Amino acid sequence: MSTPALDDAEPRVDDDVFRHVVGHFASGVAVVTTTVDGVAFGTTVSAVSSLSMDPPMMLVCLNRSSHTHDQVQRAQRFAINVLSAEQTELAFRFAKKSDDKFAGVAVEEVLGVPTLEGALARIVCSVDEEATGGTHTVFLGRVLDARASSAQPLTYYRGAFGSFHSEAEEHAYLTVRRWVLEHRELRGDSIDLDLVAGALELSRETLGRAIAKLAVDRLVTVEPGNRILILPITAELMRDCVEGRAAIECGVLTTQMSALTDDVAREIRDIYSRMQQLRSVPGAMREFLDLNTMLQDRITGLAGSLELTRAFNRMGIGAVWSHTVPVEAWDEFFDGTSQGNLVAALERRDVEAACRAVQAHAAATTTLVRELLQSNGGSV
Ligand SMILES: Cc1cc2nc3c(=O)[nH]c(=O)nc-3n(C[C@H](O)[C@H](O)[C@H](O)COP(=O)(O)O)c2cc1C
């Protein structure tokens, strides 16, 4: 089977355009391995797909200029080693031509084919058919053996390696985070992770990944014996978070002010006005803080990056307010001056004034938190 000759009358996409456009298809990354006369060969690939369930088949596309291509043709057997997010080094290593790609790499032989230990998944195939497509050979492989582990995948998108972000994982992380922040009475206690998994109906694996992120957030530490320690929220932690958020906000305002439409500016003004109206309402602090989050989301949202908005939100520890500010007269604790200045600066598209207001708000918040925590024994 081979590619039919091109009809000159047909339109043809520009090479650079094609390269750029196909790069928008996000994929996983694998290393195709094989062996001939006891020597192992391998190449990094992204052109991999499952082909059929019955019989189970895979396909890989290898450039005919690839050394591994020739060896797969000879061996008629190969393995697809799907890489995990921790295996970027292997992806680089097998994407270069070299005689010692396997030096120091842990290999497990499966059905006579070397497979990479620690890969996210491995699929061993025997070549059923070969087809030619342009510069490549498409190897259609019948699956002889398949195994997967539970790590996170390595991804490839627009010429760069990355990792997969799952909405379910984010949701689990936020659920555990809320639980940790709401159970301040447990701070300093060593808690069995199985109890948390049971209370939140999460699998141990998902919980483990959420806990790892919370350890980075400095909200918990992981202890031996499947336990965690809920850490106190201190003035230092809060200062770092507040300053981090201000840096993100200023960065967005400095680079993305042109993305602020009149509609969004009006919406921000409206949110701010609603916040001011709540000030005289006893017990409305939660609603006030939710509106504040909404206002800040509108600002970070100007960058159009979900990741950035998430990072920003992760640095928000609203639990401090609910544990330190009295329910009545709560509004006395929140001075709206700098936020008022920020909203006005946004309406004028004045980047410098907006950043000054953000920094002033951050400084006032840090001082307030320190005072509140001091009067609550230093931490919550
Ligand atoms: C992310 C990524 C994906 C790649 N995908 C493929 C592919 O699907 N097919 C292919 O033939 N080469 C692919 N390559 C290029 C080969 O890895 C590269 O040409 C390698 O040097 C070939 O090694 P070899 O000649 O030892 O087989 C890819 C490279 C990278 C970095």
Side-chain angles (χ1 to χ4, degrees):
M1 211 192 300
S2 65
T3 317
L6 280 178
D7 178 347
D8 282 344
E10 289 280 8
R12 183 190 156 129
V13 67
D14 177 84
D15 288 356
D16 289 339
V17 171
F18 177 62
R19 194 172 297 116
H20 173 72
V21 172
V22 290
H24 287 73
F25 184 66
S27 70
V29 184
V31 173
V32 165
T33 48
T34 193
T35 182
V36 172
D37 298 334
V39 182
F41 301 89
T43 179
T44 300
V45 295
S46 55
V48 173
S49 171
S50 62
L51 178 63
S52 129
M53 278 300 289
D54 188 16
M57 289 182 77
M58 297 291 294
L59 69 79
V60 296
C61 307
L62 294 184
N63 196 316
R64 283 195 299 284
S65 69
S66 146
H67 199 39
T68 311
H69 168 278
D70 298 349
Q71 309 309 324
V72 169
Q73 244 171 5
R74 289 176 68 188
Q76 291 293 298
R77 226 171 235 217
F78 62 92
I80 299 164
N81 302 269
V82 181
L83 298 185
S84 79
E86 275 76 48
Q87 293 178 309
T88 317
E89 193 270 320
L90 289 179
F92 280 119
R93 176 194 282 245
F94 282 92
K96 290 185 198 125
K97 293 210 178 287
S98 154
D99 288 338
D100 65 349
K101 291 188 187 185
F102 285 85
V105 176
V107 164
E108 182 192 351
E109 199 165 295
V110 181
L111 301 172
V113 183
T115 65
L116 306 182
E117 275 185 15
L120 174 60
R122 66 142 203 253
I123 305 162
V124 181
C125 303
S126 70
V127 175
D128 230 21
E129 245 182 276
E130 293 175 29
T132 302
T135 51
H136 281 56
T137 299
V138 185
F139 291 96
L140 313 190
R142 192 179 288 250
V143 177
L144 308 175
D145 180 82
R147 197 175 74 181
S149 72
S150 64
Q152 290 289 304
L154 181 64
T155 61
Y156 190 64
Y157 178 66
R158 296 188 66 186
F161 293 117
S163 57
F164 180 70
H165 186 96
S166 142
E167 287 301 321
E169 291 277 316
E170 180 70 9
H171 180 72
Y173 161 71
L174 292 174
T175 304
V176 184
R177 191 176 204 274
R178 196 176 320 114
W179 189 88
V180 165
L181 290 173
E182 279 171 1
H183 289 76
R184 291 287 91 200
E185 74 281 4
L186 297 177
R187 70 185 188 278
D189 289 357
S190 169
I191 298 161
D192 189 335
L193 269 182
D194 285 336
L195 288 180
V196 185
L200 300 177
E201 295 181 2
L202 294 172
S203 74
R204 282 294 317 281
E205 271 175 14
T206 308
L207 178 64
R209 286 193 285 271
I211 292 293
K213 286 187 198 161
L214 290 174
V216 175
D217 294 347
R218 291 190 276 161
L219 292 174
V220 301
T221 51
V222 180
E223 298 213 298
N226 191 34
R227 304 182 82 82
I228 54 164
L229 193 69
I230 297 192
L231 293 178
I233 299 171
T234 61
E236 290 69 41
L237 174 66
M238 284 300 287
R239 184 201 56 217
D240 290 352
C241 291
V242 169
E243 285 178 359
R245 280 160 72 93
I248 292 179
E249 239 176 310
C250 270
V252 170
L253 289 170
T254 306
T255 56
Q256 308 289 329
M257 188 63 102
S258 59
L260 177 64
T261 61
D262 288 345
D263 280 350
V264 175
R266 257 193 303 276
E267 204 187 336
I268 289 174
R269 164 65 69 188
D270 178 51
I271 295 170
Y272 177 71
S273 304
R274 281 155 62 201
M275 286 170 70
Q276 298 319 303
Q277 282 160 16
L278 286 176
R279 282 185 173 276
S280 50
V281 183
M285 183 176 76
R286 186 67 265 159
E287 208 181 325
F288 177 87
L289 293 174
D290 286 347
L291 284 170
N292 187 43
T293 304
M294 206 189 278
L295 190 153
Q296 283 170 318
D297 275 356
R298 291 296 175 280
I299 295 174
T300 49
L302 294 175
S305 160
L306 197 57
E307 265 316 305
L308 192 70
T309 303
R310 280 198 184 117
F312 183 84
N313 289 335
R314 272 185 195 167
M315 286 186 229
I317 305 183
V320 134
W321 310 120
S322 49
H323 285 87
T324 55
V325 174
V327 179
E328 303 297 318
W330 59 270
D331 62 301
E332 288 167 19
F333 291 82
F334 299 101
D335 177 15
T337 315
S338 43
Q339 261 186 324
N341 291 342
L342 170 62
V343 175
L346 292 177
E347 285 166 341
R348 300 194 306 276
R349 309 295 192 270
D350 183 340
V351 174
E352 277 184 26
C355 272
R356 266 200 310 278
V358 166
Q359 298 295 357
H361 185 61
T365 307
T366 305
T367 308
L368 172 63
V369 169
R370 196 180 315 113
E371 285 166 8
L372 285 170
L373 288 178
Q374 260 161 16
S375 53
N376 271 273
S379 67
V380 290

